[in-house]
Short mmCIF file of all heavy atoms in Angstrom, two decimals:
data_model
loop_
_atom_site.label_atom_id
_atom_site.label_comp_id
_atom_site.label_asym_id
_atom_site.label_seq_id
_atom_site.Cartn_x
_atom_site.Cartn_y
_atom_site.Cartn_z
N PRO H 41 18.20 -4.84 20.12
CA PRO H 41 18.97 -5.01 18.87
C PRO H 41 18.23 -5.81 17.80
O PRO H 41 18.51 -5.66 16.61
CB PRO H 41 20.23 -5.75 19.34
CG PRO H 41 20.37 -5.41 20.78
CD PRO H 41 18.97 -5.28 21.30
N SER H 42 17.28 -6.64 18.22
CA SER H 42 16.51 -7.43 17.25
C SER H 42 15.70 -6.57 16.31
O SER H 42 15.26 -7.04 15.25
CB SER H 42 15.58 -8.41 17.99
OG SER H 42 16.32 -9.33 18.77
N GLU H 43 15.49 -5.31 16.67
CA GLU H 43 14.72 -4.42 15.79
C GLU H 43 15.44 -4.17 14.47
O GLU H 43 14.82 -3.74 13.50
CB GLU H 43 14.44 -3.10 16.50
CG GLU H 43 13.50 -3.24 17.69
CD GLU H 43 13.26 -1.92 18.41
OE1 GLU H 43 13.38 -0.86 17.79
OE2 GLU H 43 12.95 -1.95 19.62
N ALA H 44 16.74 -4.42 14.44
CA ALA H 44 17.51 -4.21 13.21
C ALA H 44 17.40 -5.38 12.25
O ALA H 44 17.89 -5.33 11.12
CB ALA H 44 18.98 -3.97 13.55
N VAL H 45 16.76 -6.47 12.67
CA VAL H 45 16.63 -7.67 11.85
C VAL H 45 15.36 -7.58 11.02
O VAL H 45 14.26 -7.44 11.55
CB VAL H 45 16.60 -8.94 12.72
CG1 VAL H 45 16.42 -10.19 11.85
CG2 VAL H 45 17.87 -9.04 13.56
N ASP H 46 15.51 -7.66 9.70
CA ASP H 46 14.37 -7.61 8.79
C ASP H 46 14.01 -9.01 8.30
O ASP H 46 14.88 -9.87 8.14
CB ASP H 46 14.67 -6.74 7.57
CG ASP H 46 14.78 -5.27 7.92
OD1 ASP H 46 14.36 -4.90 9.04
OD2 ASP H 46 15.29 -4.50 7.09
N ARG H 47 12.71 -9.19 8.04
CA ARG H 47 12.23 -10.42 7.41
C ARG H 47 11.54 -10.07 6.10
O ARG H 47 10.98 -8.99 5.95
CB ARG H 47 11.21 -11.14 8.31
CG ARG H 47 11.79 -11.79 9.54
CD ARG H 47 10.66 -12.51 10.29
NE ARG H 47 10.11 -13.60 9.51
CZ ARG H 47 8.91 -14.14 9.75
NH1 ARG H 47 8.15 -13.67 10.71
NH2 ARG H 47 8.47 -15.14 9.00
N ALA H 48 11.57 -11.00 5.18
CA ALA H 48 10.82 -10.82 3.94
C ALA H 48 9.34 -10.66 4.26
O ALA H 48 8.83 -11.28 5.20
CB ALA H 48 11.02 -12.02 3.02
N HIS H 49 8.68 -9.80 3.52
CA HIS H 49 7.25 -9.54 3.63
C HIS H 49 6.88 -8.65 4.81
O HIS H 49 5.69 -8.35 4.99
CB HIS H 49 6.41 -10.83 3.70
CG HIS H 49 6.66 -11.77 2.56
ND1 HIS H 49 6.40 -11.41 1.25
CD2 HIS H 49 7.15 -13.04 2.54
CE1 HIS H 49 6.71 -12.44 0.47
NE2 HIS H 49 7.17 -13.42 1.22
N GLU H 50 7.85 -8.25 5.64
CA GLU H 50 7.53 -7.25 6.66
C GLU H 50 7.35 -5.89 5.97
O GLU H 50 7.89 -5.64 4.89
CB GLU H 50 8.65 -7.15 7.71
CG GLU H 50 8.70 -8.32 8.66
CD GLU H 50 9.80 -8.15 9.70
OE1 GLU H 50 10.82 -7.52 9.39
OE2 GLU H 50 9.63 -8.67 10.81
N VAL H 51 6.59 -5.00 6.61
CA VAL H 51 6.31 -3.69 6.02
C VAL H 51 6.64 -2.59 7.03
O VAL H 51 6.76 -2.85 8.23
CB VAL H 51 4.83 -3.58 5.60
CG1 VAL H 51 4.53 -4.55 4.46
CG2 VAL H 51 3.90 -3.85 6.78
N ASP H 52 6.80 -1.38 6.54
CA ASP H 52 7.08 -0.24 7.42
C ASP H 52 5.82 0.26 8.11
O ASP H 52 5.89 0.91 9.15
CB ASP H 52 7.71 0.91 6.63
CG ASP H 52 9.14 0.60 6.21
OD1 ASP H 52 9.81 -0.17 6.92
OD2 ASP H 52 9.58 1.12 5.17
N ARG H 53 4.69 0.01 7.49
CA ARG H 53 3.43 0.49 8.03
C ARG H 53 2.38 -0.59 7.93
O ARG H 53 2.48 -1.50 7.11
CB ARG H 53 2.97 1.74 7.27
CG ARG H 53 3.93 2.90 7.35
CD ARG H 53 3.40 4.10 6.62
NE ARG H 53 2.10 4.51 7.13
CZ ARG H 53 1.55 5.70 6.87
NH1 ARG H 53 2.19 6.57 6.12
NH2 ARG H 53 0.38 6.01 7.35
N HIS H 54 1.34 -0.48 8.78
CA HIS H 54 0.22 -1.40 8.66
C HIS H 54 -0.60 -1.00 7.45
O HIS H 54 -0.14 -0.24 6.60
CB HIS H 54 -0.60 -1.40 9.95
CG HIS H 54 -1.35 -0.14 10.20
ND1 HIS H 54 -0.79 1.11 10.06
CD2 HIS H 54 -2.63 0.08 10.60
CE1 HIS H 54 -1.69 2.03 10.35
NE2 HIS H 54 -2.81 1.45 10.67
N TYR H 55 -1.81 -1.50 7.34
CA TYR H 55 -2.59 -1.28 6.12
C TYR H 55 -2.66 0.20 5.73
O TYR H 55 -2.72 1.08 6.56
CB TYR H 55 -4.00 -1.85 6.25
CG TYR H 55 -4.76 -1.47 7.49
CD1 TYR H 55 -5.23 -0.18 7.70
CD2 TYR H 55 -5.04 -2.42 8.47
CE1 TYR H 55 -5.95 0.15 8.83
CE2 TYR H 55 -5.75 -2.09 9.61
CZ TYR H 55 -6.20 -0.81 9.78
OH TYR H 55 -6.91 -0.46 10.90
N GLN H 56 -2.63 0.43 4.43
CA GLN H 56 -2.68 1.79 3.90
C GLN H 56 -4.13 2.20 3.71
O GLN H 56 -4.84 1.64 2.88
CB GLN H 56 -1.95 1.86 2.56
CG GLN H 56 -0.50 1.41 2.63
CD GLN H 56 0.35 2.34 3.48
OE1 GLN H 56 0.27 3.54 3.36
NE2 GLN H 56 1.17 1.76 4.34
N SER H 57 -4.58 3.17 4.50
CA SER H 57 -5.98 3.55 4.42
C SER H 57 -6.17 5.07 4.44
O SER H 57 -7.26 5.55 4.68
CB SER H 57 -6.77 2.93 5.58
OG SER H 57 -6.21 3.28 6.83
N GLU H 58 -5.07 5.82 4.22
CA GLU H 58 -5.19 7.27 4.19
C GLU H 58 -6.09 7.70 3.03
O GLU H 58 -6.12 7.08 1.97
CB GLU H 58 -3.83 7.94 4.01
CG GLU H 58 -2.87 7.70 5.13
CD GLU H 58 -1.97 6.51 4.87
OE1 GLU H 58 -2.35 5.63 4.07
OE2 GLU H 58 -0.88 6.48 5.44
N LEU H 59 -6.82 8.78 3.27
CA LEU H 59 -7.64 9.36 2.21
C LEU H 59 -6.83 10.45 1.51
O LEU H 59 -6.65 11.55 2.04
CB LEU H 59 -8.92 9.96 2.80
CG LEU H 59 -9.91 8.96 3.39
CD1 LEU H 59 -11.13 9.69 3.93
CD2 LEU H 59 -10.35 7.94 2.34
N HIS H 60 -6.31 10.14 0.36
CA HIS H 60 -5.55 11.12 -0.41
C HIS H 60 -6.54 11.90 -1.27
O HIS H 60 -6.76 11.59 -2.44
CB HIS H 60 -4.50 10.42 -1.26
CG HIS H 60 -3.51 9.64 -0.46
ND1 HIS H 60 -2.56 10.23 0.34
CD2 HIS H 60 -3.34 8.29 -0.32
CE1 HIS H 60 -1.84 9.29 0.93
NE2 HIS H 60 -2.28 8.11 0.55
N THR H 61 -7.15 12.89 -0.65
CA THR H 61 -8.21 13.62 -1.33
C THR H 61 -8.24 15.06 -0.85
O THR H 61 -7.57 15.42 0.12
CB THR H 61 -9.57 12.94 -1.08
OG1 THR H 61 -10.57 13.56 -1.90
CG2 THR H 61 -9.98 13.07 0.38
N THR H 62 -9.00 15.86 -1.54
CA THR H 62 -9.20 17.25 -1.12
C THR H 62 -10.66 17.44 -0.75
O THR H 62 -11.55 16.72 -1.23
CB THR H 62 -8.82 18.23 -2.23
OG1 THR H 62 -9.65 17.97 -3.39
CG2 THR H 62 -7.35 18.10 -2.60
N PHE H 63 -10.89 18.42 0.10
CA PHE H 63 -12.24 18.76 0.52
C PHE H 63 -12.28 20.26 0.75
O PHE H 63 -11.38 20.82 1.40
CB PHE H 63 -12.61 18.00 1.80
CG PHE H 63 -14.00 18.28 2.29
CD1 PHE H 63 -15.10 17.78 1.61
CD2 PHE H 63 -14.21 19.05 3.43
CE1 PHE H 63 -16.39 18.04 2.07
CE2 PHE H 63 -15.48 19.31 3.89
CZ PHE H 63 -16.59 18.80 3.20
N GLU H 64 -13.29 20.91 0.22
CA GLU H 64 -13.40 22.37 0.29
C GLU H 64 -12.16 23.05 -0.28
O GLU H 64 -11.71 24.08 0.20
CB GLU H 64 -13.64 22.82 1.73
CG GLU H 64 -14.94 22.29 2.34
CD GLU H 64 -15.10 22.70 3.80
OE1 GLU H 64 -14.11 23.11 4.44
OE2 GLU H 64 -16.25 22.62 4.30
N GLY H 65 -11.57 22.42 -1.33
CA GLY H 65 -10.45 23.01 -2.02
C GLY H 65 -9.11 22.88 -1.34
O GLY H 65 -8.12 23.48 -1.77
N ALA H 66 -9.03 22.08 -0.26
CA ALA H 66 -7.77 21.91 0.47
C ALA H 66 -7.52 20.44 0.73
O ALA H 66 -8.45 19.62 0.74
CB ALA H 66 -7.79 22.69 1.78
N GLU H 67 -6.24 20.10 0.93
CA GLU H 67 -5.88 18.72 1.23
C GLU H 67 -6.50 18.29 2.56
O GLU H 67 -6.44 19.01 3.56
CB GLU H 67 -4.36 18.58 1.32
CG GLU H 67 -3.88 17.19 1.66
CD GLU H 67 -2.40 17.12 1.96
OE1 GLU H 67 -1.74 18.18 1.92
OE2 GLU H 67 -1.89 16.01 2.21
N LEU H 68 -7.08 17.11 2.56
CA LEU H 68 -7.63 16.53 3.78
C LEU H 68 -6.52 15.75 4.47
O LEU H 68 -6.04 14.74 3.93
CB LEU H 68 -8.81 15.63 3.44
CG LEU H 68 -9.74 15.24 4.59
CD1 LEU H 68 -10.48 16.45 5.12
CD2 LEU H 68 -10.73 14.18 4.12
N ARG H 69 -6.09 16.21 5.62
CA ARG H 69 -4.95 15.61 6.30
C ARG H 69 -5.41 14.82 7.52
O ARG H 69 -6.39 15.16 8.17
CB ARG H 69 -3.96 16.69 6.74
CG ARG H 69 -3.45 17.56 5.60
CD ARG H 69 -2.62 18.72 6.09
NE ARG H 69 -1.38 18.28 6.74
CZ ARG H 69 -0.98 18.66 7.94
NH1 ARG H 69 -1.73 19.48 8.65
NH2 ARG H 69 0.16 18.24 8.42
N GLY H 70 -4.63 13.76 7.85
CA GLY H 70 -4.85 13.03 9.09
C GLY H 70 -6.13 12.22 9.14
O GLY H 70 -6.66 11.98 10.23
N VAL H 71 -6.62 11.75 7.99
CA VAL H 71 -7.86 10.99 7.95
C VAL H 71 -7.62 9.66 7.24
O VAL H 71 -6.97 9.61 6.20
CB VAL H 71 -8.98 11.78 7.21
CG1 VAL H 71 -10.26 10.94 7.14
CG2 VAL H 71 -9.25 13.10 7.92
N GLU H 72 -8.15 8.58 7.82
CA GLU H 72 -8.11 7.26 7.20
C GLU H 72 -9.52 6.68 7.20
O GLU H 72 -10.35 7.02 8.05
CB GLU H 72 -7.17 6.31 7.96
CG GLU H 72 -5.72 6.77 8.00
CD GLU H 72 -4.81 5.78 8.69
OE1 GLU H 72 -5.23 4.61 8.90
OE2 GLU H 72 -3.67 6.15 9.03
N LYS H 73 -9.76 5.78 6.26
CA LYS H 73 -11.06 5.12 6.23
C LYS H 73 -10.94 3.74 5.60
O LYS H 73 -10.47 3.61 4.47
CB LYS H 73 -12.09 5.95 5.46
CG LYS H 73 -13.52 5.41 5.62
CD LYS H 73 -14.54 6.30 4.94
CE LYS H 73 -15.94 5.79 5.22
NZ LYS H 73 -16.97 6.59 4.48
N LEU H 74 -11.36 2.72 6.35
CA LEU H 74 -11.45 1.37 5.83
C LEU H 74 -12.85 0.79 5.97
O LEU H 74 -13.22 -0.12 5.25
CB LEU H 74 -10.47 0.44 6.55
CG LEU H 74 -9.06 0.27 5.95
CD1 LEU H 74 -8.29 -0.75 6.76
CD2 LEU H 74 -9.10 -0.14 4.50
N TYR H 75 -13.62 1.30 6.92
CA TYR H 75 -14.89 0.69 7.27
C TYR H 75 -16.06 1.64 6.99
O TYR H 75 -15.92 2.86 7.08
CB TYR H 75 -14.89 0.27 8.74
CG TYR H 75 -13.68 -0.54 9.12
CD1 TYR H 75 -12.75 -0.07 10.03
CD2 TYR H 75 -13.46 -1.78 8.54
CE1 TYR H 75 -11.63 -0.81 10.37
CE2 TYR H 75 -12.34 -2.54 8.87
CZ TYR H 75 -11.42 -2.05 9.79
OH TYR H 75 -10.32 -2.79 10.11
N ARG H 76 -17.19 1.08 6.67
CA ARG H 76 -18.36 1.85 6.26
C ARG H 76 -18.81 2.84 7.32
O ARG H 76 -19.12 3.99 7.03
CB ARG H 76 -19.51 0.89 5.93
CG ARG H 76 -20.81 1.56 5.48
CD ARG H 76 -21.85 0.52 5.10
NE ARG H 76 -22.27 -0.24 6.26
CZ ARG H 76 -23.30 0.07 7.04
NH1 ARG H 76 -24.01 1.15 6.77
NH2 ARG H 76 -23.62 -0.68 8.07
N ARG H 77 -18.83 2.39 8.59
CA ARG H 77 -19.42 3.21 9.64
C ARG H 77 -18.41 4.11 10.36
O ARG H 77 -18.80 4.93 11.18
CB ARG H 77 -20.08 2.30 10.70
CG ARG H 77 -21.32 1.58 10.25
CD ARG H 77 -21.82 0.63 11.33
NE ARG H 77 -21.95 1.30 12.62
CZ ARG H 77 -23.05 1.93 13.02
NH1 ARG H 77 -24.11 1.98 12.23
NH2 ARG H 77 -23.10 2.50 14.22
N THR H 78 -17.13 3.92 10.09
CA THR H 78 -16.11 4.55 10.93
C THR H 78 -15.14 5.39 10.11
O THR H 78 -14.60 4.93 9.10
CB THR H 78 -15.32 3.47 11.70
OG1 THR H 78 -16.23 2.65 12.45
CG2 THR H 78 -14.33 4.12 12.66
N LEU H 79 -14.88 6.59 10.61
CA LEU H 79 -13.84 7.46 10.07
C LEU H 79 -12.75 7.59 11.12
O LEU H 79 -13.05 7.78 12.31
CB LEU H 79 -14.43 8.84 9.74
CG LEU H 79 -13.57 9.74 8.84
CD1 LEU H 79 -13.58 9.21 7.41
CD2 LEU H 79 -14.12 11.17 8.86
N LEU H 80 -11.51 7.46 10.71
CA LEU H 80 -10.38 7.55 11.64
C LEU H 80 -9.69 8.90 11.46
O LEU H 80 -9.40 9.32 10.35
CB LEU H 80 -9.41 6.40 11.37
CG LEU H 80 -8.20 6.26 12.30
CD1 LEU H 80 -7.79 4.78 12.40
CD2 LEU H 80 -6.99 7.08 11.79
N VAL H 81 -9.41 9.57 12.59
CA VAL H 81 -8.76 10.87 12.58
C VAL H 81 -7.53 10.82 13.47
O VAL H 81 -7.57 10.26 14.57
CB VAL H 81 -9.72 11.98 13.08
CG1 VAL H 81 -9.05 13.35 12.98
CG2 VAL H 81 -11.03 11.96 12.32
N GLU H 82 -6.43 11.41 12.99
CA GLU H 82 -5.17 11.46 13.75
C GLU H 82 -4.80 12.92 14.00
O GLU H 82 -4.12 13.54 13.19
CB GLU H 82 -4.05 10.77 12.96
CG GLU H 82 -4.32 9.30 12.68
CD GLU H 82 -3.48 8.77 11.53
OE1 GLU H 82 -2.94 9.59 10.76
OE2 GLU H 82 -3.37 7.55 11.41
N PRO H 83 -5.24 13.49 15.12
CA PRO H 83 -4.90 14.90 15.39
C PRO H 83 -3.41 15.13 15.56
O PRO H 83 -2.90 16.20 15.25
CB PRO H 83 -5.65 15.20 16.70
CG PRO H 83 -6.68 14.13 16.81
CD PRO H 83 -6.10 12.93 16.16
N THR H 84 -2.70 14.10 16.08
CA THR H 84 -1.25 14.21 16.26
C THR H 84 -0.65 12.81 16.20
O THR H 84 -1.33 11.82 16.50
CB THR H 84 -0.90 14.88 17.60
OG1 THR H 84 0.53 15.02 17.70
CG2 THR H 84 -1.40 14.07 18.79
N THR H 85 0.62 12.73 15.82
CA THR H 85 1.33 11.45 15.86
C THR H 85 2.32 11.41 17.02
O THR H 85 3.20 10.56 17.06
CB THR H 85 2.06 11.18 14.54
OG1 THR H 85 2.91 12.29 14.22
CG2 THR H 85 1.07 10.97 13.41
N ILE H 86 2.17 12.32 17.97
CA ILE H 86 3.02 12.38 19.15
C ILE H 86 2.43 11.48 20.24
O ILE H 86 1.22 11.39 20.40
CB ILE H 86 3.14 13.82 19.67
CG1 ILE H 86 3.78 14.72 18.61
CG2 ILE H 86 3.95 13.88 20.97
CD1 ILE H 86 3.74 16.19 18.95
N CYS H 87 3.31 10.83 21.01
CA CYS H 87 2.89 10.00 22.14
C CYS H 87 3.70 10.36 23.38
O CYS H 87 4.78 10.95 23.29
CB CYS H 87 3.11 8.52 21.83
SG CYS H 87 1.82 7.77 20.83
N ALA H 88 3.19 9.96 24.54
CA ALA H 88 3.91 10.16 25.79
C ALA H 88 5.12 9.23 25.88
O ALA H 88 6.11 9.55 26.55
CB ALA H 88 2.98 9.94 26.98
#
Side-chain angles (χ1 to χ4, degrees):
S42 298
E43 293 178 26
V45 178
D46 291 345
R47 288 182 64 199
H49 305 298
E50 287 181 330
V51 294
D52 289 331
R53 299 181 57 164
H54 69 314
Y55 50 70
Q56 303 294 315
S57 56
E58 297 94 336
L59 293 180
H60 300 290
T61 188
T62 60
F63 181 72
E64 298 177 343
E67 179 189 2
L68 196 67
R69 303 173 65 232
V71 178
E72 298 183 15
K73 190 176 184 184
L74 269 184
Y75 310 115
R76 180 177 66 91
R77 291 176 51 89
T78 305
L79 195 71
L80 184 150
V81 184
E82 299 160 343
T84 183
T85 54
I86 299 171
C87 279

